Amino acid sequence: MLNAFEVERLENSIPMAVAVHISGHGRAPGAETTFTENVNSRGARVPSIRRWRANETLEIESLPSDFRARACVARCQPQSEGFVIGLEFLEPSGRWVINTPVFSGKPLQG
């Protein structure tokens, strides 16, 4: 049974480190370069040095490919060095740098 703060995932995430820029923080302007921890076609988990608010929107852009998206912060949790944010892609375009596992046959894209 799920507790009040958990949401059932529609899709499993794939551990994948992709270099990204995130920007759009209202209180700390500028872009931050970081790496994803895991991704799926609907979102990503990304460490950040900034504290983000739930439902804040930001821009995410992968550095090794043409993927870009406007994203919504689903959660922001403290970790040992900063925070980790869960993002939901709202307006994705382009493709991630690699494809999903062979058994799915579908590229990982927005």
Side-chain angles (χ1 to χ4, degrees), residues 5-39:
F5 298 105
E6 293 179 2
V7 176
E8 185 175 355
R9 295 193 185 268
L10 299 174
E11 183 178 347
N12 289 331
S13 294
I14 300 167
M16 182 171 26
V18 175
V20 295
H21 282 304
I22 54 175
S23 60
H25 195 279
R27 298 163 312 282
E32 177 180 350
T33 302
T34 186
F35 288 86
T36 60
E37 291 182 353
N38 60 54
V39 299

Side-chain angles (χ1 to χ4, degrees), residues 35-100:
F35 288 86
T36 60
E37 291 182 353
N38 60 54
V39 299
N40 64 44
S41 65
R42 291 177 165 70
R45 179 179 162 102
V46 180
S48 176
I49 58 172
R50 300 170 173 152
R51 179 187 300 264
W52 295 81
R53 293 182 181 146
N55 299 317
E56 241 180 326
T57 58
L58 59 83
E59 300 292 324
I60 183 168
E61 174 184 358
S62 69
L63 299 178
S65 69
D66 66 346
F67 181 81
R68 295 179 153 196
R70 191 166 68 86
C72 179
V73 176
R75 69 188 60 81
C76 180
Q77 300 169 314
Q79 62 177 13
S80 59
E81 294 182 22
F83 304 89
V84 64
I85 53 177
L87 300 176
E88 176 188 354
F89 300 145
L90 302 175
E91 297 174 5
S93 66
R95 293 181 180 243
W96 283 103
V97 73
I98 68 168
N99 289 337
T100 54

